Amino acid sequence: IQAFAFIQDDLRDDKEIVTFAVNAFWSHLEIASDRLRKDPDVVLVAVRKDDRALFLASPDMLGNRDIVMAAIIQNGNMLEYVTDELKGDREVVLAAVAQCGLALEHACDSLRADLAVVLEAVKQDGNALEFGIGDSLDNDSIILASVRCWGEALQFASMRHRSDPRIASIAVQQNGCALEYVHRDLQSDRDIVLAAVKQTGLAIRFASRDLCADPEIALTAVIRDGRALEFVSETQQGNREVVLAAVKQNCVAIEYAAICFKLDEEIRTAAEIGGGMLLDDGTLFGFGDDGSVF
């Protein structure tokens, strides 16, 4: 079939030959005649093989509904390139966002405000909430579906939802760093912060000052990620149990411990087991997984 690249011009305009060629390998559409790159039958065969064939077809094909549907069920982001008329076609857009939620960005404004379309998009990718407009950003079902898929989508929600303990809890359980986007009052909610650091230790950097000094929260955070020791209170950086747990998880954590622990034999040993080496002055030296020096 590679020989198709060298055939005579008249054969490149032979519909039967070209259809056979693009069915075997979609990219042969590129060397088909201009007439056949405008032929919906030929182009549809190629696009069904690979959505990228749409880029090789005549630009007129970007407005052909059947061909566009064949492309977007493979790659929803192809919605970006189709005609404005099809960006406003509800069935086309629903198919696109079902395959790739982020394709919502390329839909017309009325469909970006359509609750059913936005819900379909955020179910596929919570990030798609960024591209919803109007009432979609204040709809309970849409916000819940979004944060269940991607907790940090909470940043695009209304303040009403960012202040809702139930939604905040769901968000931080999916991604602890969603704690950054909950209402400030909920950053002081012990249950929500504890759920966040259980999921991602570094989420503690978004907790209230008081909760950064909470022994259970500090310990939970550093067990999950030793680097969280940087963000706990000075009191907890001087808590031996917390420091030991942190350096066992990540030797780099010793950098954030109270200075007295840098000479503590058990903690030094834990740091060295973790891949570091403490110099006499307490400075950590070692190699990261990528070969970098720290």
Side-chain angles (χ1 to χ4, degrees):
I1 199 67
Q2 298 299 325
F4 183 67
F6 305 102
I7 65 173
Q8 301 173 8
D9 288 346
D10 59 333
L11 296 180
R12 296 185 189 194
D13 195 44
D14 185 303
K15 185 171 180 176
E16 183 178 356
I17 291 175
V18 171
T19 300
F20 175 79
V22 299
N23 187 55
F25 198 63
W26 62 272
S27 68
H28 285 317
L29 184 63
E30 183 176 15
I31 51 179
S33 68
D34 289 345
R35 181 180 72 86
L36 292 182
R37 286 191 293 114
K38 295 178 181 179
D39 187 304
D41 296 333
V42 174
V43 174
L44 186 58
V45 170
V47 170
R48 281 176 173 165
K49 289 292 182 179
D50 193 300
D51 61 277
R52 292 173 293 177
L54 189 56
F55 295 128
L56 304 179
S58 166
D60 295 343
M61 297 297 96
L62 295 173
N64 182 297
R65 193 174 189 276
D66 291 338
I67 290 171
V68 166
M69 285 290 280
I72 64 174
I73 62 174
Q74 301 173 62
N75 180 358
N77 275 321
M78 293 298 284
L79 187 65
E80 177 180 359
Y81 306 103
V82 306
T83 61
D84 288 344
E85 180 182 358
L86 291 180
K87 289 178 180 180
D89 184 310
R90 194 168 188 271
E91 186 179 355
V92 169
V93 172
L94 276 169
V97 300
Q99 198 285 324
C100 176
L102 296 180
L104 183 64
E105 177 182 7
H106 309 300
C108 70
D109 285 353
S110 64
L111 292 178
R112 289 173 60 196
D114 184 304
L115 300 186
V117 171
V118 177
L119 182 60
E120 188 70 27
V122 300
K123 283 180 178 178
Q124 200 285 323
D125 189 328
N127 288 280
L129 186 62
E130 178 180 1
F131 304 115
I133 59 177
D135 292 343
S136 67
L137 299 180
D138 195 40
N139 179 276
D140 293 352
S141 297
I142 288 173
I143 302 304
L144 280 169
S146 182
V147 300
R148 282 185 175 127
C149 183
W150 183 58
E152 287 189 280
L154 191 62
Q155 65 187 288
F156 306 116
S158 68
M159 187 55 69
R160 177 173 73 86
H161 288 106
R162 293 167 66 182
S163 303
D164 186 316
R166 175 171 171 258
I167 291 175
S169 181
I170 291 171
V172 301
Q173 287 178 61
Q174 197 286 323
N175 185 326
C177 287
L179 186 63
E180 178 179 5
Y181 305 110
V182 306
H183 189 277
R184 185 174 180 179
D185 289 347
L186 296 183
Q187 292 175 339
S188 296
D189 184 302
R190 193 173 189 280
D191 291 338
I192 288 175
V193 171
L194 190 57
V197 299
K198 282 181 178 178
Q199 202 283 325
T200 304
L202 290 176
I204 198 169
R205 67 189 187 272
F206 305 119
S208 67
R209 181 175 298 182
D210 287 347
L211 291 182
C212 286
D214 183 295
E216 182 185 3
I217 289 176
L219 183 60
T220 301
V222 300
I223 287 173
R224 193 79 172 103
D225 191 324
R227 296 171 298 170
L229 190 64
E230 178 181 1
F231 305 103
V232 304
S233 68
E234 288 188 16
T235 300
Q236 295 310 313
Q237 289 174 343
N239 181 325
R240 193 172 191 282
E241 181 184 13
V242 171
V243 172
L244 185 58
V247 298
K248 282 182 177 179
Q249 200 286 322
N250 190 322
C251 63
V252 172
I254 192 64
E255 295 286 351
Y256 309 111
I259 193 167
C260 61
F261 292 125
K262 296 183 179 182
L263 301 176
D264 183 293
E265 196 61 36
E266 184 180 8
I267 289 175
R268 289 172 65 92
T269 300
E272 290 172 356
I273 290 174
M277 180 176 70
L278 283 173
L279 305 180
D280 290 341
D281 62 358
T283 302
L284 182 70
F285 176 83
F287 296 92
D289 292 339
D290 59 357
S292 60
V293 179
F294 58 83

